[in-house]
Amino acid sequence: SFTFYATAEAIARRGATPVFADVDAGTMNLDPEDVAARISSRTKAILAVHLFGRPAPLAELGQLGLPLIEDAAQAFGSPDIARSGVASTFSFYPTKNLFCIGDGGLVSTDDPELAERVRMLRFHGSRDKVDFELIGYNSRLDEIQAAVLRIFLSELDRWVALRREAAARYAELGLDAVCELPEDEPGHVYHLFVCRSPERDRIRAALQEAGIGSAVYYTTPMHLQPALAYLGYQRGALPVTEQLAQENFSVPIWAGIDATTQEQVVSVVQASAPVAS
Ligand SMILES: Cc1ncc(COP(=O)(O)O)c(C=O)c1O
């Protein structure tokens, strides 16, 4: 539920019923214990999101004995993802770590039959434009986007390293004195640098005043979205998700952000902190 709408939409579009589990407050990724508690005889698969570029706990989720699908839209370049699941999906939307100049995406799988099905679904359920075997989509990757992706792909490892350096620098600069920072782990590719604070609105107002961009994510979690109201979730159903929805905010991160900009971000956030009484 603490994810972009498309994660849940994909399940509902297929005619299946999304069942939301809560996330871990520290990683903001699925909490395997909560997932386990929500599995029933009707559960067909687990859809795990690598949120903000942090790998979901795939080993623990894999032990739950169900097919695992990875929503890796935010985690291209993370080394150990998209290996254990049945299939993984990626987005090349222009804000992503690997991006094109329009819309694009990728599905990875090591199952040849599934790969063939996805290839057909991509083009209206057909192999040859003559026979249409499935109800599919118009979801081809434009050649122009593919060409751009080939160029950017060669930069990806360097970009990921720069993002990781920038994330470490926020910690070194003492941003953690005023808000909770994402704890580092080796596979985190920092698509976004999302922090937590009960004071986030005050912090964001100070950033805005200083002309520094920040954003909040999933302020209405998916289990409370109007389009999914038919599922019957009430406020309070996923307490960690709902708290994160109120407390998360991101500070600028991109491949190559300079130390001076980061110092300015940290000093504005520090100055916005309430004075200890
Ligand atoms: C977690 C997650 N899943 C799915 C998507 C959907 O990707 P696209 O917009 O390329 O279809 C996004 C994109 O923002 C996302 O962040």
Side-chain angles (χ1 to χ4, degrees):
S1 185
F2 194 60
T3 179
F4 182 61
Y5 178 62
T7 312
E9 185 186 37
I11 301 169
R13 184 181 279 281
R14 183 68 187 85
T17 304
V19 175
F20 295 108
D22 217 343
V23 290
D24 177 275
T27 64
M28 305 194 194
N29 272 329
L30 270 182
D31 171 356
E33 259 184 50
D34 198 62
V35 173
R38 291 169 198 267
I39 290 174
S40 77
S41 57
R42 296 176 61 203
T43 311
K44 295 282 189 288
I46 296 171
L47 177 41
V49 183
H50 302 302
L51 199 69
F52 305 137
R54 178 194 299 281
L58 296 174
E60 289 96 320
L61 292 171
Q63 280 168 7
L64 300 177
L66 285 161
L68 192 56
I69 300 165
E70 299 172 46
D71 178 341
Q74 303 185 359
F76 201 101
S78 181
D80 295 323
I81 63 162
R83 291 176 194 278
S84 52
V86 174
S88 303
T89 57
F90 295 87
S91 166
F92 300 135
Y93 185 74
T95 56
K96 298 296 195 289
N97 284 25
L98 177 65
F99 58 96
C100 58
I101 52 172
D103 274 303
L106 180 153
V107 177
S108 73
T109 179
D110 62 0
D111 173 343
E113 264 177 47
L114 183 57
E116 183 58 10
R117 189 177 159 83
V118 172
R119 267 188 215 106
M120 284 166 63
L121 287 170
R122 172 182 64 174
F123 181 73
H124 304 290
S126 177
R127 288 187 176 88
D128 55 11
K129 291 195 206 174
V130 178
D131 292 311
F132 294 84
E133 295 173 43
L134 302 166
I135 305 294
Y137 305 86
N138 174 354
S139 194
R140 292 166 298 230
L141 185 68
D142 298 349
E143 304 229 341
I144 185 85
Q145 305 303 346
V148 166
L149 284 162
R150 282 178 76 122
I151 297 168
F152 291 166
L153 182 60
S154 62
E155 299 288 339
L156 184 75
D157 289 348
R158 193 172 65 83
W159 288 345
V160 168
L162 287 168
R163 281 176 184 274
R164 289 190 46 77
E165 267 173 39
R169 203 179 297 125
Y170 272 131
E172 284 156 22
L173 290 169
L175 188 60
D176 57 343
V178 270
C179 59
E180 209 173 301
L181 306 190
E183 202 176 291
D184 189 40
E185 61 180 279
H188 199 328
V189 293
Y190 293 100
H191 166 53
L192 294 164
F193 195 80
V194 180
C195 309
R196 266 185 83 179
S197 168
E199 298 291 331
R200 77 139 180 231
D201 293 341
R202 183 205 301 257
I203 293 171
R204 290 195 69 223
L207 287 167
Q208 191 180 2
E209 179 82 0
I212 297 169
S214 73
V216 292
Y217 291 90
Y218 321 129
T219 50
T220 302
M222 297 317 113
H223 68 286
L224 300 176
Q225 286 293 342
L228 301 174
Y230 71 93
L231 296 170
Y233 286 86
Q234 303 295 324
R235 199 165 284 283
L238 299 172
V240 180
T241 294
E242 290 169 35
Q243 189 163 2
L244 289 176
Q246 287 171 19
E247 294 188 351
N248 86 83
F249 68 102
S250 67
V251 292
I253 195 162
W254 64 86
I257 185 172
D258 58 290
T260 313
T261 304
Q262 290 190 270
E263 277 162 23
Q264 200 198 349
V265 172
V266 173
S267 70
V268 170
V269 176
Q270 282 175 342
S272 74
V275 181
S277 56

